[in-house]
Amino acid sequence: MLLMQKVDKIIIEALEEDMNNGDITSDTLINDNQRSKAKLIAKEDGILAGCEIFTRVFDLVDSHIKMNLFFKDGDSVKEQDVIGKLYGPTKSILKCERIALNLLQRLSGIATMTNNFVKEIEDMSVRIVDTRKTTPGLRVLEKYAVRTGGGFNHRFNLSDAVMIKDNHIKAVGSIKMAIEIAKANIPHTMKIEVEVEDLEQLKEALDSKADIIMLDNMSTDMMKEAVILAKGKAIIEASGNVTKDRIKDIAKTGVDIISIGAITHSVKALDISLRFC
């Protein structure tokens, strides 16, 4: 569920960025009394995410714009599907069009890419999760889109959990020392995750009672060994170089979680257009 107060803040900032002093083209060319009808059309197949956000852009600019969407978030659309129709003041529709489409297209692209990964391993007991590799300022929306596509969220931000990565280890001196310091300074309710690059680091993390261990850029053969060593001792997450061609082999190693940065940082926006009719 999205907190609309945060959504509104993102939309308002985007609108201010796009027309800090109005829309010179529409304000010059279009009469205030002119009304138009428009269709929202899918130009390719995909999974929708951000329909409520799309609608909210228009609501915030002009409550006289009427919207009728025929699909909802999580629905599959096909090329040339009419996603919805809208009617209202022409000038207001033109002012909203780009921001509304940008958000809908990007979030639908994330949901679509996530769903493509999820379908590859839908018969296996492993979760696809996102990372913090999100667009600055849009994390709340992009992580929502991941969930819409059938994925799950990793930690939301740096405050959620301890995640000890390679630079933390180098700064402190060792995995063992990093975990000891963390345990001495965090609430007992907070989990500790450690990133490891080989089996020796894995053993050190297990001996130090890490709750979650991330296998960073390991081969599938090494992952299999890691899963055997860690069985019943920690949650195991695979990360790094996760592609659609490779994801089934990663899932078959027995890991619990597969994190994929690409579903937010390397996504292609779903092609959707708004056309007057």
Side-chain angles (χ1 to χ4, degrees):
M1 179 179 292
L2 283 167
L3 183 61
M4 291 310 294
Q5 186 177 8
K6 290 185 177 180
V7 173
D8 284 357
K9 182 180 178 182
I10 291 169
I11 292 172
I12 290 167
E13 288 178 352
L15 289 167
E16 288 176 351
E17 177 184 59
D18 203 40
M19 50 175 182
N20 62 311
N21 194 30
D23 173 2
I24 187 67
T25 308
S26 298
D27 289 339
T28 301
L29 297 179
I30 309 298
N31 185 291
D32 287 343
N33 296 320
Q34 186 172 337
R35 299 288 187 272
S36 292
K37 295 178 181 179
K39 290 181 179 180
L40 187 64
I41 303 167
K43 304 300 287 293
E44 61 181 323
D45 298 355
I47 304 294
L48 283 181
C51 292
E52 186 177 6
I53 299 161
F54 178 86
T55 302
R56 186 62 176 161
V57 175
F58 292 91
D59 288 342
L60 288 173
V61 172
D62 192 334
S63 61
H64 294 98
I65 298 172
K66 304 304 177 185
M67 185 84 60
N68 186 15
L69 296 183
F70 310 131
F71 295 84
K72 63 182 184 304
D73 285 2
D75 285 350
S76 297
V77 292
K78 299 293 184 183
E79 183 179 357
Q80 294 305 316
D81 275 349
V82 176
I83 299 169
K85 295 182 179 179
L86 55 155
Y87 173 79
T90 304
K91 190 182 295 187
S92 296
I93 293 174
L94 290 168
K95 289 179 178 181
C96 296
E97 175 186 5
R98 179 42 52 204
I99 297 303
L101 280 174
N102 282 353
L103 292 169
L104 181 64
Q105 287 177 300
R106 176 152 185 85
L107 299 187
S108 296
I110 290 172
T112 300
M113 188 173 184
T114 301
N115 191 252
N116 287 338
F117 276 107
V118 168
K119 286 191 293 188
E120 288 293 318
I121 57 166
E122 59 188 353
D123 56 342
M124 302 180 189
S125 57
V126 58
R127 284 187 171 189
I128 299 296
V129 305
D130 52 29
T131 70
R132 285 172 43 247
K133 295 175 182 177
T134 54
T135 307
L138 296 183
R139 182 171 295 170
V140 64
L141 303 186
E142 293 184 349
K143 282 184 171 280
Y144 165 76
V146 168
R147 298 194 302 273
T148 302
F152 294 84
N153 296 147
H154 206 290
R155 60 177 178 161
F156 196 86
N157 57 43
L158 293 172
S159 302
D160 281 352
V162 175
M163 186 168 176
I164 301 168
K165 299 174 73 67
D166 56 350
N167 285 334
H168 296 110
I169 296 166
K170 288 176 183 176
V172 173
S174 70
I175 291 173
K176 181 176 184 293
M177 183 63 70
I179 293 177
E180 286 180 356
I181 294 171
K183 285 187 174 181
N185 288 281
I186 62 172
H188 69 281
T189 54
M190 188 170 285
K191 293 186 180 297
I192 296 175
E193 180 167 4
V194 181
E195 177 185 86
V196 303
E197 298 175 352
D198 55 45
L199 297 181
E200 287 304 311
Q201 286 189 331
L202 172 73
K203 291 172 184 175
E204 186 180 358
L206 289 171
D207 290 343
S208 302
K209 309 298 183 186
D211 300 295
I212 308 160
I213 299 176
M214 176 190 286
L215 311 179
D216 183 43
N217 281 296
M218 285 189 182
S219 67
T220 52
D221 286 340
M222 190 179 290
M223 285 184 202
K224 289 176 185 177
E225 292 184 60
V227 168
I228 292 170
L229 287 170
K231 188 172 183 179
K233 299 177 183 177
I235 295 170
I236 299 298
E237 173 183 340
S239 184
N241 193 29
V242 180
T243 63
K244 191 176 176 183
D245 291 338
R246 190 170 175 245
I247 194 166
K248 274 191 178 180
D249 289 336
I250 294 173
K252 288 175 182 177
T253 65
V255 296
D256 303 294
I257 296 165
I258 303 173
S259 56
I260 308 174
I263 57 178
T264 53
H265 76 62
S266 297
V267 70
K268 174 187 172 294
L270 193 70
D271 193 359
I272 301 170
S273 68
L274 188 150
R275 299 292 184 198
F276 281 173
C277 54

